[in-house]
Amino acid sequence: MFNNNLLNLRKLNNLTQEELAERLDVSRQAIAKWESGETVPDLEKCRLLAEIFGVSLDDLANYNAEDNMGLNVPPKGKHLFGVVTVGDKGQIVIPAKARKTFDISAGDRLVVLGDEAQGIAIIKSEHFLKLADLIRNSNKGAFD
């Protein structure tokens, strides 16, 4: 997975092996060996690669595009949790990894937001209320 992720990210970022090698202070041949799966870089070079491409180190090493509808490694902090099916009454099951990542438990209250051009977003109600208070407080006096 690492070698495929590295190759895809390098191409996605329009970098040649030589350009990437220069940024990492390694040879172009080292990049070629990493991309072919012949060798793997040390942990520090992996950390630098993740930083260069703006992805998590875990995703750089473990992300499997085949398991994620063929999509490339997502930017750091962005997630693709998979596809869910809407039930007869509009219910969905939030994937376990998403619930763990965002600390969502049974009984939590969620706010569903929508933008007709971009889709639906779900946020914990307490986070939404904090955001709403921030906006309301920053606008006090603006309309007086």
Side-chain angles (χ1 to χ4, degrees):
M1 282 181 276
F2 171 82
N3 60 317
N4 291 329
N5 292 337
L6 175 59
L7 176 64
N8 290 334
L9 287 165
R10 180 179 61 77
K11 287 181 176 183
L12 187 67
N13 285 271
N14 297 315
L15 290 171
T16 65
Q17 287 181 340
E18 193 155 302
E19 290 168 332
L20 183 58
E22 192 173 300
R23 290 177 74 173
L24 294 167
D25 197 28
V26 298
S27 68
R28 184 205 56 77
Q29 291 81 359
I31 302 294
K33 287 181 179 182
W34 297 345
E35 290 181 351
S36 71
E38 189 177 327
T39 62
V40 293
D42 64 31
L43 187 57
E44 180 58 21
K45 295 297 185 203
C46 287
R47 186 192 65 73
L48 288 171
L49 284 165
E51 188 176 297
I52 287 168
F53 296 127
V55 300
S56 73
L57 185 55
D58 182 52
D59 279 344
L60 176 63
N62 299 311
Y63 185 84
N64 186 342
E66 289 178 17
D67 292 344
N68 292 286
M69 299 180 287
L71 298 172
N72 285 323
V73 178
K76 192 174 187 175
K78 308 293 183 190
H79 303 275
L80 173 64
F81 294 110
V83 175
V84 298
T85 302
V86 178
D88 294 338
K89 297 181 181 179
Q91 71 275 28
I92 62 168
V93 175
I94 299 172
K97 186 175 179 184
R99 292 191 312 267
K100 181 179 179 189
T101 300
F102 294 101
D103 191 29
I104 297 171
S105 302
D108 283 351
R109 295 175 49 88
L110 305 174
V111 175
V112 179
L113 304 169
D115 179 311
E116 291 181 12
Q118 296 184 32
I120 295 173
I122 300 172
I123 185 171
K124 281 184 146 184
S125 63
E126 63 263 24
H127 297 306
F128 179 75
L129 293 173
K130 286 179 188 174
L131 180 60
D133 282 342
L134 256 172
I135 293 168
R136 185 175 25 251
N137 291 334
S138 68
N139 286 331
K140 279 190 177 175
F143 301 105
D144 294 339

